[in-house]
Amino acid sequence: MLLDAIEWLGHSGFRIDAGDKTIYIDPYRVNGGKKADAILITHGHYDHFSRQDVEQLSHDRTWLIGPAAVAERVAGQVISIAPGEAIEREELGGIEIRAIAAYNTSKRDASGNPFHPREAGWVGYDLNVRGERLYHSGDTDVIPEMDSVMGVDVALLPVSGVYVMTAEEAAEAARRIDPAVAVPMHWGEHIGTYEDARTFAELAPVEVEIMEKAHS
């Protein structure tokens, strides 16, 4: 089961143990852990693209994958990816990685600008791991691009509101995507509480797993 191979590291960070490959998505304030074969970054905000965590989890063969604004800030084995693009590298054991758009439609700052603008080219990820699919939405509202991940095995969805979907909006996203299991994220660190995760679990019309934060 893919869900058994996923650990929540807090906030929007996850580790996926895919056979002999270890993949991280948005690691932030991670206290040790296995070195990464690949680190996927959704966008450039410090609580998703943490240089300190990237350095801590990397070795000389680690691939870093992220949107252009992230990729250009990193040296080493780096792949820039844009919404709609897919990559599959032999070094990652045949895991296919597809970037899905991630942006705000209603979450704006005091000047009226979206916190995560569509034109920034920021992403979520659709991973195919040995025939099972994982969707990490990144920081986003409910958007039409989510329809392309309909029926995934696991969907990781933010629930805190303010910068991302509220618990109620995330439940609507879960309805559209219809994953086998949905996991709430983007809570418990700076913003969002266990109550947001519980509300999501109560409202979502799919099975929900509220993960406990892994302790490395």
Side-chain angles (χ1 to χ4, degrees), residues 19-40:
D20 60 346
K21 303 299 180 187
T22 300
I23 298 172
Y24 288 84
I25 306 177
D26 284 1
Y28 175 62
R29 292 183 173 173
V30 176
N31 182 23
K34 282 195 252 182
K35 296 292 186 181
D37 293 287
I39 300 174
L40 280 52

Side-chain angles (χ1 to χ4, degrees), residues 29-35 51-59:
R29 292 183 173 173
V30 176
N31 182 23
K34 282 195 252 182
K35 296 292 186 181
R51 286 178 172 276
Q52 181 179 345
D53 288 282
V54 168
E55 288 170 10
Q56 178 187 332
L57 296 169
S58 293
H59 52 66

Side-chain angles (χ1 to χ4, degrees), residues 22-90:
T22 300
I23 298 172
Y24 288 84
I25 306 177
D26 284 1
Y28 175 62
R29 292 183 173 173
V30 176
N31 182 23
K34 282 195 252 182
K35 296 292 186 181
D37 293 287
I39 300 174
L40 280 52
I41 303 295
T42 60
H43 65 291
H45 289 162
Y46 72 93
D47 52 338
H48 297 264
F49 175 40
S50 164
R51 286 178 172 276
Q52 181 179 345
D53 288 282
V54 168
E55 288 170 10
Q56 178 187 332
L57 296 169
S58 293
H59 52 66
D60 58 4
R61 296 181 309 282
T62 300
W63 287 92
L64 186 131
I65 299 163
V70 169
E72 65 194 18
R73 292 162 60 189
V74 184
Q77 298 193 131
V78 184
I79 300 172
S80 177
I81 195 166
E85 292 181 349
I87 54 174
E88 185 172 356
R89 298 202 68 96
E90 200 175 309

Side-chain angles (χ1 to χ4, degrees), residues 178-200:
D178 193 28
V181 182
V183 176
M185 64 175 181
H186 208 284
W187 65 274
E189 200 72 39
H190 300 293
I191 186 167
T193 64
Y194 181 74
E195 285 309 307
D196 294 312
R198 280 287 338 146
T199 300
F200 170 68

Side-chain angles (χ1 to χ4, degrees), residues 108-113 115:
R108 300 176 184 275
D109 63 21
S111 302
N113 300 308
F115 290 112

Side-chain angles (χ1 to χ4, degrees), residues 67-157:
V70 169
E72 65 194 18
R73 292 162 60 189
V74 184
Q77 298 193 131
V78 184
I79 300 172
S80 177
I81 195 166
E85 292 181 349
I87 54 174
E88 185 172 356
R89 298 202 68 96
E90 200 175 309
E91 303 94 311
L92 298 181
I95 295 165
E96 184 183 348
I97 299 166
R98 188 165 64 100
I100 309 295
Y103 56 89
N104 287 137
T105 56
S106 61
K107 311 302 184 299
R108 300 176 184 275
D109 63 21
S111 302
N113 300 308
F115 290 112
H116 304 91
R118 184 175 190 172
E119 57 271 20
W122 293 338
V123 299
Y125 290 101
D126 175 7
L127 272 60
N128 191 322
V129 183
R130 292 177 299 182
E132 291 188 277
R133 287 173 64 202
L134 167 73
Y135 172 52
H136 184 298
S137 73
D139 278 7
T140 189
D141 282 317
V142 183
I143 54 174
E145 288 85 349
M146 286 177 173
D147 293 344
S148 73
V149 298
M150 190 180 296
V152 294
D153 295 279
V154 181
L156 312 174
L157 302 172

